[in-house]
Every structure is written in structure tokens, then in C-alpha cells.
Amino acid sequence: MTAYLDTTNGQPYCKGCGHPHVLDALDHALQAAGVPPHRIALVTDIGCVGLADAQFPTLHTVHSLHGRAAALATGMQLAAGTDGDEPLKPVVLVGDGGSTIGLLHLVHAAQLDVDVTVLVHNNLIYGMTGGQHSGLTPHGFRTTTTPDGCLTPPLDLGRVLAGAGCGYFARARAPSNELGELLAEGIRRPGFACVEALELCPTFAARIGGMTGKGLREMTSEGGLAMGVLERREPRAGPVRRGNGDPAPALFGAGIAPEPTWSRLQRPVQLVVAGRAGERVQSAAKLAAVAGAAAGLGATLRTDNPVTQGRGFSVAELTLSPEAVRYTGLDRPDIAIATAPEGLAQLAQRGLLAGPLAAHRIVCDESLEPPAEAHVERAPLRKRHGGAAAALGAVLEAVDAAGWFDPRAWEVAIQARPEAQRASVRRTLAKAGVSVRAARGRRSCG
Ligand code: SF4
């Protein structure tokens, strides 16, 4: 099998660094695991470990933020799902520093048992940033930030992740024959796996801390760090698993499926609704997003409000598209709605009332005073629906008038709401004059 690791231009690491040994083991494991190269994604963290991207020129690589590689890989795996029978297999390369900065991301990935393999390069210190101690630094070990020895005991990553339900955890030294084999087993597992490679950073762990290869061996044999496979469990079946034929997360509840024939859109459309915090502005837009998704549309929602939830403005930006939404930013919206002065001020501040970004259709509650140059339709939104339901009523009316999808999709979105909220939404729907029966003969629009 062809090697993925390409060292024809040399290695970028310091002389004697353990990273090249870990990458050799990774190369062996990727080949042994038999994952098609186009379904492998290496997700690297910040640090010397991140230099691995360029060493694997034939694979997908993503360079992440410090500590966030596991979170990014988890999202990638869940979003990408399968290509035929082939799941995306992200392999996260992270140091001991990134592991402890992003510890909860590792914990969460283990809890989800998502199909991601994490390879921890544990050389006991932060290498690239200057030899500082990390959460995995041994007690008493000298680093640039603990010149008299690290004050705290090291986290045992295996035990931490075992407590989170980790399906596979193994530890080996680098270099060693076991490392590649253990890693291959982790990669083959259709769920979360973590392999910790113990290795040497000659520049800091050896020079400052006095660590040697012999010291590493003693640390694992005498220091209580168990080696080999420490956790091995069956993959959990569950709604979060993607990429092995299990269902996607349920959006609509049991027995309700999206109906793509309900879409009426030929192009992406956008709606902005702005009002007063606490008046369910964002949940109104969310109902439209879920209804759009129920009609088989791509749907995204961006929301904004001040820190508190009950004072000031509340804004929601909805995008619906016949294709998946690749860009969630606001262009020139098709519809902008203001239900309260706080919302009107936000629309003005964002340039959506007048000028080149002005929405094509602007609807304001009749009590508001929009700028004279804005072309606004005024409607008794608050009088008709009450303050708390003005945004919902306005969104229902505007989307129904635009005919973006078959109104039966509203009922699917209502079913996705908690039962206690459904009756009031249906009342608003009736007041808005929206019939959830099939709308016959509607033209495509957008
Ligand atoms: S600083 Fe340490 S971890 Fe980074 S390349 Fe040099 S030896 Fe390796």
C-alpha cells in the first residue's frame, strides 16, 4: 500500500523530537486500517503537532484553533456522514497542551462516541510556545513555568475519558511497534477512540526537565501510567452516530418526515425579524426554519440579542434555500419585519430599511416610526396578535404570503415544538389567516 507520509522535503521538527516517530506510526495505522484516503481527514491542533499537515500531502488536512481540534472533527464527522458506505474518518492530532486546553471537547466526543480518532502527542510540555507545563506534566517535573517542579499531579487522560464512556483508549511509547497497531485498532473502530503516544521533546522536556528515553520508560513502568489498551467497548448505537447507517438526529419527532415536494423555492431567500427581547422573536424565526426544513429546504438561523434575554432587542436572520445553505451571512433580505421600537432600531442600524441593503419588503408594526425614506408597509401586528406573539404572527403572515413552501410544513414544525406550546402557535396561525391545508396550484417563487 502507498504511504501517506511524505518526507522528501525533510521533517520540520528539532533533532531527536518524538513527533516523526508518531507520524510513522500514524502512517502505518492509516494503511493498516484500510480507510480510503479520500475519506480520511487529519485535523491538527496548534503547536509543533500542527506541522504534520504538510507531511501528508495526499490527505485532507484541516488546521484548527488551539484545543478545538476534537470539536471541529466531531462536527465534521456528524455533518459529513457517509459517502455511500464510507464514513468520514477524522483523525485528530493534538499535543498534551491542546488536550488539556480542549479537555471538555475530548470528553464530549467520547460521550457522543462519535467516529473520530484522537492521537495525543504527549511530550509532557507545550513545545512550540516555549516548554510550559501542561495538564499532563508529571508531578515534580521541571518546565519553563515550573522551574522547581510541577506542583500538580498529571491528569490520567485514559481515566478521565473512561469516566466519559470512552469506547477505546490506548497508550504506547513512541517509537514502539505497538503504537501503530493500537492506533490502527482505534481508527478501525466505528466510534470514538483515543491513543496517547508518550514521546520526547529534546528541546524542552529533555533540556529543562532532564527527561530521557530511559526516563520515559521508567515513568510508565514505575510511575503508574498503564500502557496498552485500557478501554475497549462496543460502539454505542444512538441517534448521534453518523457514517455507519444509523439515523441522523431526529428533528421532527417520531412519525414525521420532511416532504421535499413542499418546497416552492428556486433560489435562496432571507427573512429578518427584529423586535423586543422576551417577545419570542427568535422562536418565531425558528418555527419558520423548521417548517422550511420540513419542506426539504436548507435552513439556517442566526440570532442576536444583548446579554440578557428579557431586555433590549432581539433579532433573527433566517435563510432558506433549495440547496444546502453554504453561506449564512445576510445579503439583501427578501423580507424584514419590525415588531417593536428596539427591533426597528436594529434594522436601521444594519442598513436594512433604506439604501443598497434595504430589504425588498419591509413590514413594521403600525405604532412604529420608520425613517421617511424607507418603503414600509405598516400593519397592526401587536394589536392583532398581542406583543408576545406579534413576531410569530408577522413571520407566519409574511412567509405564507411569499409562498416559500406548502403551508402544511407549518404543522410539521408545530409538532416539533413541546406539546404545551402547540395550541398557542396554532391560534396565532389561525389569526394570521394561514391555512395548513394543501395550497393547490401555487407557483414556484423565490
Ligand atoms: S520544540 Fe519539542 S516538540 Fe517541538 S519540534 Fe522541537 S523537540 Fe519537537
Side-chain angles (χ1 to χ4, degrees), residues 13-14 17 19 48 123 127-128 201-204:
Y13 311 105
C14 308
C17 177
H19 286 359
C48 300
N123 55 16
M128 187 195 76
C201 167
T203 303
F204 292 110

Side-chain angles (χ1 to χ4, degrees), residues 199-347:
E199 50 149 315
L200 202 57
C201 167
T203 303
F204 292 110
R207 189 167 57 84
I208 311 278
M211 183 55 77
T212 60
K214 184 164 172 266
L216 267 188
R217 281 194 294 282
E218 285 169 2
M219 196 177 100
T220 52
S221 56
E222 296 166 12
L225 264 187
M227 305 296 280
V229 178
L230 309 180
E231 289 292 328
R232 188 187 274 127
R233 306 180 197 184
E234 284 299 306
R236 281 198 307 278
V240 294
R241 183 171 308 295
R242 296 293 300 272
N244 63 355
D246 286 353
L251 177 59
F252 304 112
I256 304 174
E259 179 47 68
T261 61
W262 288 350
S263 164
R264 304 279 183 266
L265 286 183
Q266 304 297 319
R267 63 165 179 89
V269 292
Q270 294 186 310
L271 175 146
V272 183
V273 55
R276 182 174 293 150
E279 292 191 345
R280 302 186 204 154
V281 172
Q282 296 175 9
S283 66
K286 185 178 173 190
L287 189 82
V290 175
L297 295 167
T300 60
L301 194 60
R302 298 200 318 171
T303 57
D304 189 14
N305 53 275
V307 175
T308 57
Q309 299 291 319
R311 290 178 81 89
F313 69 87
S314 180
V315 178
E317 300 173 1
L318 167 73
T319 301
L320 296 176
S321 169
E323 310 289 338
V325 180
R326 305 275 178 215
Y327 174 66
T328 59
L330 205 55
D331 204 351
R332 188 180 171 190
D334 295 81
I335 302 170
I337 298 168
T339 59
E342 296 89 334
L344 186 70
Q346 283 299 310
L347 293 186

